[in-house]
């Protein structure tokens, strides 16, 4: 399954993301509770959901009303409060990454360190509710397990009044956050893309495309924006069932000639923990006939920076080669579990099944399950493979 976030018509904001996720099936009562509770430390808010027609399109509007205003705080104090929230760790960690994107953009625009950045609009309680609500809804629908594609963002035009004065649209912080994304000016003289919405979009999107890829639409959620225009002020999130995916990946390489076998093995595990899709180490002959190894890592774009940082830190390499946006054909995959009786004991085994156009092309048990059964039963691994088919 692929999820497509479509902000081409009227941009993106945190409450529009939440509305679209509720339209797709996220529990509005759960979201109301988690949003109000999380925002309380930053100022009381009241969250309501209602159905609205936006230029004839039935959509879900999430309204976050600030019931009190508190003074702005600096970034370290802000994150300290977020870390103390009693919410799911996955939601908390991803939300912190979203706010880090905003803080980095603000620090660059204003020429300050991140420690000096004070959150105004971004640090307000309604923005905390928007980010936590969006990320909670994202995980509640298991979208973290799906590929997410973002389409170009309409950013609007004109000027907007902020805590820093009147600034052009898109705001400088928005441009920094959307570095590498595809933006479109207009179609109205109004701000359409908020820093909060853009930071969430950049954090959860695996890839940004100009057009919707080949897919079968399955379900569509519409999130309503606050303003009314002569066109639908909505954000679409499209759930699709894939035909065959065309994946874009980064291939990251470096040569190694000074690490021991144990250190290379440790690096291998660290890279997988950092989000690498695959890691391989190949023996090579380097200049001056020295023996060495070619480290090759396959990664999605969103994990590239973390993987590069890991390689630099663990190897001390002076140069890393990156081949970005390479195409890889990917069959649709799903996992299923079966139970087998081996020597009078039941063992659960996970099978990875690959499909092309609905036809099964492979069905293999996971190695780690086979290894676990062999160690527990005392039978040879090859015997376990014969018994489990």
């Amino acid at each position: 399954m692929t999820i497509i976030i479509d902000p081409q018509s009227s941009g993106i904001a945190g409450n529009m993301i939440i509305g679209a996720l509720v339209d797709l099936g996220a529990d509005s009562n759960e979201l109301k509770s988690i949003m109000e509770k999380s925002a309380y430390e930053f100022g009381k808010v009241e969250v309501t959901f209602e159905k609205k027609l936006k230029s004839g399109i039935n959509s879900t509007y999430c309204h976050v009303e600030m019931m009190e205003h508190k003074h702005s705080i600096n970034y370290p104090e802000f994150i300290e409060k977020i870390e103390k929230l009693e919410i799911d760790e996955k939601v908390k960690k991803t939300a912190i990454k979203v706010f880090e994107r905003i803080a980095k953009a603000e620090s660059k625009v204003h020429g300050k360190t991140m420690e000096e950045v004070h959150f105004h609009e971004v640090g307000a309680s309604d923005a905390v509710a928007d980010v936590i609500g969006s990320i909670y809804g994202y995980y509640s629908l298991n979208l973290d397990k799906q590929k997410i594609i973002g389409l170009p963002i309409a950013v609007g035009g004109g000027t907007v009044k902020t805590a820093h004065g009147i600034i052009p649209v898109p705001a400088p912080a928005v441009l920094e956050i959307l570095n590498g994304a595809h933006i479109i000016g207009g179609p109205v003289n109004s701000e359409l893309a908020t820093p909060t919405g853009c930071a969430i979009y950049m954090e959860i999107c695996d890839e940004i495309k100009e057009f919707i890829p080949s897919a079968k639409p399955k379900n569509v959620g519409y999130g309503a924006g606050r303003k009314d225009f002569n066109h639908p002020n909505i954000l679409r999130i499209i759930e699709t069932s894939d035909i065959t995916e065309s994946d874009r990946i980064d291939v990251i390489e470096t040569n190694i000639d000074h690490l021991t076998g144990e250190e290379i093995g440790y690096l291998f595990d660290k890279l997988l923990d950092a989000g690498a899709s695959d890691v391989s180490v190949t023996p090579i002959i380097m200049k001056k006939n020295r023996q060495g190894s070619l480290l090759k890592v396959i990664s999605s774009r969103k994990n590239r920076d973390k993987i590069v940082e890991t390689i630099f830190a663990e190897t001390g390499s002076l140069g890393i080669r990156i081949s970005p946006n390479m195409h890889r054909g990917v069959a649709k995959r799903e996992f299923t579990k079966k139970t087998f009786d081996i020597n009078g004991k039941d063992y659960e085994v996970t099978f990875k099944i690959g499909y092309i156009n609905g036809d099964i092309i492979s069905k293999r048990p996971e190695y780690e399950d086979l290894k676990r059964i062999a160690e527990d039963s005392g039978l040879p691994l090859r015997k376990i493979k014969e018994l489990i088919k």
Side-chain angles (χ1 to χ4, degrees):
M1 185 169 70
T2 294
I3 303 298
I4 300 169
I5 299 177
D6 181 7
Q8 298 176 99
S9 171
S10 290
I12 193 166
N15 70 320
M16 295 171 78
I17 296 172
I18 295 168
L21 293 176
V22 168
D23 227 32
L24 280 177
D27 190 312
S28 60
N29 291 324
E30 282 186 10
L31 283 169
K32 173 181 170 66
S33 175
I34 198 80
M35 290 166 70
E36 291 179 348
K37 186 189 300 182
S38 300
Y40 187 80
E41 188 66 28
F42 304 87
K44 186 178 179 182
V45 302
E46 183 176 339
V47 178
T48 56
F49 292 92
E50 62 178 307
K51 282 290 188 178
K52 282 194 173 185
L53 279 177
K54 288 290 184 177
S55 296
I57 296 179
N58 192 30
S59 52
T60 299
Y61 178 58
C62 172
H63 178 57
V64 181
E65 176 147 7
M66 294 177 64
M67 309 302 288
E68 63 176 327
H69 296 265
K70 292 188 177 182
H71 295 298
S72 63
I73 60 176
N74 63 35
Y75 177 69
E77 292 174 322
F78 179 81
I79 293 301
E80 186 178 347
K81 287 189 175 187
I82 295 290
E83 288 175 339
K84 290 179 180 177
L85 293 177
E86 294 182 0
I87 56 177
D88 184 275
E89 281 300 314
K90 291 187 299 184
V91 175
K92 187 186 300 184
K93 287 180 179 178
T94 306
I96 288 174
K97 289 180 182 177
V98 171
F99 284 116
E100 183 180 3
R101 287 179 181 273
I102 300 170
K104 284 181 177 177
E106 292 280 354
S107 68
K108 184 172 181 181
V109 169
H110 301 301
K112 297 180 178 180
T113 66
M114 287 178 62
E115 288 70 24
E116 294 172 322
V117 168
H118 274 69
F119 282 176
H120 301 282
E121 292 91 343
V122 175
S125 54
D126 59 340
V128 174
D130 280 347
V131 172
I132 298 295
S134 296
I135 301 304
Y136 184 90
Y138 162 82
Y139 280 109
S140 73
L141 294 176
N142 295 315
L143 300 191
D144 58 308
K145 296 180 174 60
Q146 311 303 330
K147 180 174 181 180
I148 298 187
I149 292 173
L151 297 183
I153 297 178
V155 294
T159 60
V160 63
K161 186 177 181 180
T162 73
H164 302 290
I166 297 175
I167 59 176
V169 172
V174 166
L175 287 178
E176 288 297 331
I177 292 168
L178 293 179
N179 191 331
H182 186 161
I183 66 175
I184 307 168
V188 291
N189 186 0
S190 180
E191 181 186 36
L192 297 182
T194 68
T196 302
C198 293
I200 297 167
Y201 169 94
M202 292 299 285
E203 182 61 36
I204 66 177
C205 285
D206 298 305
E207 186 179 352
I208 297 171
K209 286 182 174 287
E210 187 174 1
F211 303 111
I212 293 176
S214 175
K216 295 179 180 178
K218 185 178 178 182
N219 197 10
V220 184
Y222 296 96
R226 178 175 58 85
K227 301 174 183 177
D228 290 315
F229 302 121
N230 291 327
H231 69 277
N233 185 15
I234 56 164
L235 172 76
R236 293 194 299 185
I237 298 183
I238 306 166
E239 179 186 342
T240 75
S241 57
D242 301 320
I243 301 172
T244 301
E245 299 179 34
S246 176
D247 199 10
R248 282 180 180 267
I249 57 169
D250 289 343
V251 177
I252 305 167
E253 295 181 341
T254 191
N255 294 348
I256 300 171
D257 66 354
H258 59 285
L259 298 184
T260 66
E262 290 86 353
E263 290 168 333
I264 291 176
Y266 178 76
L267 171 63
F268 195 104
D269 292 337
K270 291 284 287 185
L271 291 169
L272 291 176
D273 290 341
S277 301
D278 196 11
V279 182
S280 63
V281 180
T282 306
I284 58 173
I285 301 297
M286 301 172 61
K287 63 182 180 181
K288 299 182 181 179
N289 295 322
R290 293 201 312 270
Q291 289 188 334
S293 301
L294 171 62
L295 173 69
K296 180 179 291 187
V297 183
I298 295 176
S299 165
S300 62
R301 187 177 70 95
K302 68 178 182 180
N303 293 324
R304 178 202 302 168
D305 292 344
K306 188 173 182 181
I307 286 169
V308 169
E309 289 173 7
T310 301
I311 295 173
F312 275 128
E314 296 295 337
T315 69
S317 174
L318 300 178
I320 295 173
R321 302 179 294 277
I322 302 175
S323 300
N325 296 326
M326 297 183 69
H327 290 272
R328 175 177 64 171
V330 181
K332 180 182 177 183
R333 286 163 284 185
E334 68 177 32
F335 295 87
T336 185
K337 294 181 183 293
K338 291 180 65 176
T339 301
F340 293 84
D341 182 321
I342 297 177
N343 289 346
K345 185 174 180 179
D346 286 342
Y347 294 96
E348 190 174 69
V349 179
T350 300
F351 284 80
K352 182 190 290 184
I353 304 174
Y355 296 89
I356 292 291
N357 294 328
D359 296 325
I360 295 177
I361 59 169
S362 68
K363 182 178 180 180
R364 294 192 293 269
E366 292 286 86
Y367 167 74
E368 290 298 330
D369 286 349
L370 301 183
K371 176 184 173 183
R372 171 176 51 82
I373 296 170
E375 290 174 345
D376 185 72
S377 66
L379 295 174
L381 181 63
R382 61 177 179 79
K383 181 65 176 177
I384 300 299
K385 291 176 69 175
E386 293 173 1
L387 294 172
I388 295 176
K389 294 181 180 178

